[in-house]
Amino acid sequence: MARPVTLAVADLRRGGEQHRAEVVFDCATDGPRRHTFAGPLLREVVAAARSRFLLAVSGGDGHHALLSWAEIDADFGDAPVLLATRMDDRDLDGDGPQLVVPSDRCGARYVSAVTGIWIGSARLAGVLPSGT
């Protein structure tokens, strides 16, 4: 049974340790853009799920990102993925939290104005034939 939870930026800021990430988005079209983000780690926010599933993050601007639990789990990839509540020392209360994956070169999974995080399992659409 799904149990939706709504968290505002202020809730994320109060809810736990705030981590900082210096990020350079280095896109071919715009060149390097440097930002400093702060917020809780995504794995800490969704730890109540305690599962090894997928996480789909949706933003108010229509962007979506998909992460595996293993990427953010401290025992596996340990990626410091943030739900940022601050950007360049500015609170994001009016803008909404932002998903930041510091290891992504061009901010490929950067999602602004996060509106939802879905956590669940995925079924593969098909299987490979044996011997492949």
Side-chain angles (χ1 to χ4, degrees):
M1 182 168 117
R3 290 176 281 160
V5 175
T6 301
L7 298 170
V9 172
D11 297 324
L12 293 169
R13 201 170 15 261
R14 282 191 305 269
E17 183 179 351
Q18 300 292 297
H19 300 265
R20 292 178 59 86
E22 304 288 331
V23 180
V24 177
F25 294 140
D26 190 8
C27 301
T29 56
D30 296 331
R33 290 189 173 173
R34 299 176 191 292
H35 298 287
T36 302
F37 291 95
L41 294 174
L42 179 61
R43 69 173 167 253
E44 293 170 356
V45 174
V46 298
R50 285 287 185 209
S51 55
R52 305 234 182 250
F53 295 115
L54 298 174
L55 298 102
V57 181
S58 302
D61 60 359
H63 284 91
H64 306 281
L66 186 65
L67 298 107
S68 70
W69 184 264
E71 283 182 89
I72 64 173
D73 189 303
D75 290 331
F76 293 94
D78 200 22
V81 177
L82 295 178
L83 278 175
T85 60
R86 294 177 59 80
M87 178 177 151
D88 300 328
D89 295 321
R90 181 179 61 82
D91 289 341
L92 296 172
D93 293 272
D95 301 313
Q98 299 181 12
L99 179 75
V100 181
V101 184
S103 58
D104 284 359
R105 182 177 162 264
C106 187
R109 292 182 288 178
Y110 171 83
V111 176
S112 60
V114 171
T115 57
I117 300 172
W118 173 87
I119 304 167
S121 61
R123 296 181 60 161
L124 296 176
V127 293
L128 295 173
S130 42
T132 304

